[in-house]
Each structure stands twice: as structure tokens, then as C-alpha cells.
Amino acid sequence: MKINTKVFGEIEIADDKIIHFPSGIIGFPDLTDFALVHDEEKGIGAIHWMQSIQEPAFAMPVMDPLLVRPNYNPQVDDELLKPIGELVPDELLVLVTVTVPADLTKMSVNLRGPIIINAAEKKACQVIIDGDDYAVKFPIYDILNAKKAGE
């Protein structure tokens, strides 16, 4: 299928690349189908996009939380993961949303609201982690710059 997106212009998304969120995402319960899009022009970098299929103007920047917090291992209630099927560790993908404000030095990720993807089933959910172990606005600008510089 072809969709005309705000971020990437017209792109083609294969049906088998669509990830279904049975309950939508936090704040957007009606948006249930997404594709994980990589910015080909900038190469495969740290930030990718969850592009909505239903709303082409909506795309969320996401990234692997282990890139900025290597010990990231939130405890998620199994009940919250039931809608996305049986999880096999090799088929599990965890992403976090990225906030990119005008002042890039204030870039952050939401470690408290990860997106859990069952790659085998092409189903996903976004959950809220209890407790204070993970920040909603975890600053990443300096971490990404250090990685880029090879530190």
C-alpha cells in the first residue's frame, strides 16, 4: 500500500510490515496500525519512525532504549502483554518514543512508556511502567553525541 506521509512523502508499505496495536497507543487509541520506517537518506541511525497507517500526518520518532540506557529492563505485568500474543525473546522488540524539541540539547526519550512489539505476530502495545526507576523525559542528547563521536 502507498501512503502520503508528512515526514517521508509518499512511501510504499508492504502489508506484512504493518504492526497492529490492538488498543492503539497512549493518547491515540484510534491509531492501531503502524509501520516501522527507517530514514533511508540519513542511513540507519539511532532514531526510527512509527508511521501511522490510518493517519499519514502522524509519525512518532522511536529508538532502542538500550542505546541510551544499557541496563534498561522494565518489569511489565504479563496481563498487559496478553493482547500481543505469546512472546519469544528472539521475536521481542522494545522501543521508546523520542521527543525532539526545537532545542535539540533537550532531546529525551520516554523510558516509562515503552512500546513492546511481538515481531512474529506483528502486534504491539504501549505500556506504562510503575515506579520511579524510569523517567518520562530521560535526556539523550549528550549520550547520542558521545556515541557519534565514538566514545
Side-chain angles (χ1 to χ4, degrees):
M1 101 175 39
K2 287 187 179 187
I3 60 172
N4 196 13
T5 71
K6 181 178 179 182
V7 176
F8 299 103
E10 186 175 85
I11 59 172
E12 188 158 341
I13 297 172
D15 288 345
D16 66 344
K17 298 292 184 195
I18 296 173
I19 301 166
H20 181 68
F21 286 71
S23 302
I25 57 171
I26 295 170
F28 301 92
D30 296 337
L31 299 182
T32 56
D33 294 319
F34 289 82
L36 188 58
V37 178
H38 310 285
D39 191 339
E40 303 294 336
E41 289 179 13
K42 294 180 181 160
I44 306 268
I47 298 177
H48 309 291
W49 298 84
M50 289 297 293
Q51 172 64 56
S52 171
I53 302 300
Q54 289 110 331
E55 180 52 60
F58 184 85
M60 291 186 302
V62 295
M63 70 183 303
D64 179 344
L66 297 177
L67 292 173
V68 293
R69 180 108 186 244
N71 62 347
Y72 186 71
N73 187 21
Q75 299 304 306
V76 178
D77 186 345
D78 290 342
E79 199 63 32
L80 296 174
L81 300 176
K82 276 190 177 172
I84 65 172
E86 187 177 338
L87 295 174
V88 177
D90 288 348
E91 296 292 338
L92 179 67
L93 177 62
V94 177
L95 298 171
V96 290
T97 56
V98 181
T99 300
V100 185
D103 179 356
L104 291 181
T105 64
K106 303 215 181 317
M107 191 181 329
S108 64
V109 291
N110 180 354
L111 295 176
R112 196 172 292 168
I115 294 169
I116 315 293
I117 300 172
N118 180 340
E121 301 275 334
K122 302 281 190 283
K123 289 184 179 177
C125 63
Q126 187 175 20
V127 296
I128 300 292
I129 305 301
D130 291 332
D132 295 327
D133 292 341
Y134 299 108
V136 172
K137 289 187 178 255
F138 182 76
I140 62 170
Y141 181 80
D142 290 337
I143 297 169
L144 293 179
N145 270 346
K147 284 189 179 295
K148 193 185 265 187
E151 292 177 15

